[in-house]
Amino acid sequence: MPTVRILAISGSLRTASLNSALLRAVAGLAPANVRIELFTGVGNLPLFNPDLEITDLPPVADFLARLLEADGVIIASPEYAHGVTGVMKNALDWMVGSEAFVNKPVALLNASPRATIAQAALKETLTVMSAQVVEAASITLPIIGSNLDQQGISGHPSLSTSIREALRAFHTEIVNLQNSKTHTLYGIKNCDTVKKARNWLDQNGIAYRFHDFRIDGLTPELLQRFADHLDWNKLLNRSSTSWRQLSADQQSDLTQEKAMQLMLTTPTLIKRPVLESGDKLMLGFKAENYQTELL
């Protein structure tokens, strides 16, 4: 199996941080085909200022470079006052306008079963940034209150087993995404046209990642990317059941902005599937078009 490079980021600056200890334990438990680097420069990042350029700030530029080089990212961050830590949010804010997390596999580790609010907020932020949060590798471990340090975590039978399983799942997902990153099929699993497209791709041995709008979601950024490459009038499926279920007011006086909001609220209004192949987007499925573009 190929070796993958992972950047591990702790959302705490405490010397005795459980999250940092957890990440060091994870690095120690990693198999030979997973190389984990613990990023220690989060505390050196200046406060986010959108007026400043990343390239003008060496600590931020270094952080971006490390993220771009990594095949995946592991984040372990505590919850402060029902929120994401300031240092973690600041680090992510710097990366919002970059490609650092776009389609980047991310695993979220949680050292406290009680810390659910910040974890959900962190996942939401990363999803908006177009990261691929890998659920099978995102685990919660009962470390808080256990008095375990890095060595204790590594030597704990159930904790170490959970970590190793999460790393295996993360490695598998990263490799799968790497193999299919040039092709992503967007749609809904039970759509007949999507099924035809998937069958054609499978029969022709073309690796791809399937993004289900109902499961994986639809962000404004992704929909805007569709609109930037495809005619929104063609993207909006006026022959769909979802369109017929709209009120007359919703169907009338359509503008791109109104249509985009309708599709964002009801993704089943989008004509399916949308195939992203490199820098091209293809709308709908016709075997002859796929044959021409993909073979």
Side-chain angles (χ1 to χ4, degrees):
M1 294 288 283
T3 298
V4 300
R5 299 165 299 171
I6 295 174
L7 189 68
I9 307 169
S10 173
S12 175
L13 299 181
R14 292 179 62 241
T15 302
S17 165
L18 290 178
N19 289 276
S20 298
L22 171 58
L23 290 177
R24 289 193 296 270
V26 169
L29 292 169
N33 58 5
V34 175
R35 296 177 183 174
I36 298 179
E37 174 195 358
L38 184 59
F39 181 68
T40 58
V42 173
N44 297 327
L45 300 176
L47 291 177
F48 174 65
N49 183 343
D51 289 335
L52 301 177
E53 295 292 335
I54 290 177
T55 52
D56 294 334
L57 302 166
V60 183
D62 176 65
F63 184 41
L64 173 61
R66 290 171 186 266
L67 285 168
L68 292 174
E69 290 171 358
D71 297 309
V73 178
I74 295 177
I75 297 175
S77 184
E79 180 175 298
Y80 289 165
H82 283 186
V84 178
T85 64
V87 69
M88 188 73 250
K89 186 62 168 63
N90 183 60
L92 294 178
D93 283 345
W94 275 115
M95 297 297 110
V96 168
S98 73
E99 297 293 311
F101 280 96
V102 175
N103 295 323
K104 183 77 69 178
V106 177
L108 300 178
L109 304 188
N110 188 355
S112 172
R114 299 195 302 267
T116 58
I117 298 175
Q119 194 77 346
L122 184 57
K123 180 180 178 181
E124 175 67 18
T125 297
L126 289 162
T127 301
V128 169
M129 294 171 70
S130 298
Q132 299 290 331
V133 178
V134 181
E135 296 293 347
S138 299
I139 58 175
T140 297
L141 301 167
I143 296 175
I144 188 169
S146 66
N147 295 319
L148 294 175
D149 57 8
Q150 174 188 344
Q151 288 72 27
I153 296 170
S154 300
H156 194 282
S158 63
L159 294 179
S160 60
T161 297
S162 295
I163 290 170
R164 287 191 175 97
E165 290 176 351
L167 286 173
R168 280 195 293 271
F170 200 36
H171 179 272
T172 298
E173 184 66 15
I174 289 172
V175 172
N176 287 342
L177 287 171
Q178 288 175 338
N179 290 338
S180 63
K181 63 182 178 181
T182 56
H183 302 298
T184 302
L185 191 73
Y186 298 90
I188 293 172
K189 182 171 61 175
N190 60 358
C191 170
D192 288 340
T193 310
V194 170
K195 290 179 182 177
K196 291 178 182 177
R198 298 188 72 180
N199 285 338
W200 188 94
L201 292 169
D202 291 339
Q203 290 170 4
N204 286 277
I206 297 176
Y208 66 94
R209 182 175 69 85
F210 179 57
H211 180 109
D212 192 316
F213 292 135
R214 285 176 171 164
I215 298 173
D216 302 307
L218 175 65
T219 65
E221 292 78 11
L222 179 58
L223 185 59
Q224 187 61 55
R225 183 144 54 91
F226 290 167
D228 288 343
H229 290 80
L230 303 166
D231 185 341
W232 68 266
N233 277 294
K234 295 179 181 178
L235 191 63
L236 180 64
N237 189 354
R238 291 179 173 85
S239 63
S240 66
T241 301
S242 296
W243 172 260
R244 293 193 293 271
Q245 291 174 341
L246 296 178
S247 67
D249 287 342
Q250 289 175 307
Q251 294 180 352
S252 63
D253 300 322
L254 275 184
T255 62
Q256 179 171 344
E257 182 179 0
K258 182 177 179 181
M260 294 281 282
Q261 188 56 50
L262 285 172
M263 288 186 282
L264 190 62
T265 304
T266 310
T268 49
L269 286 169
I270 298 174
K271 184 175 180 179
R272 303 180 295 272
V274 176
L275 177 65
E276 184 175 22
S277 178
D279 58 355
K280 295 181 180 179
L281 285 176
M282 300 172 61
L283 183 61
F285 171 70
K286 288 186 177 180
E288 56 268 30
N289 293 343
Y290 275 34
Q291 178 85 18
T292 301
E293 295 294 334
L294 302 178
L295 296 180

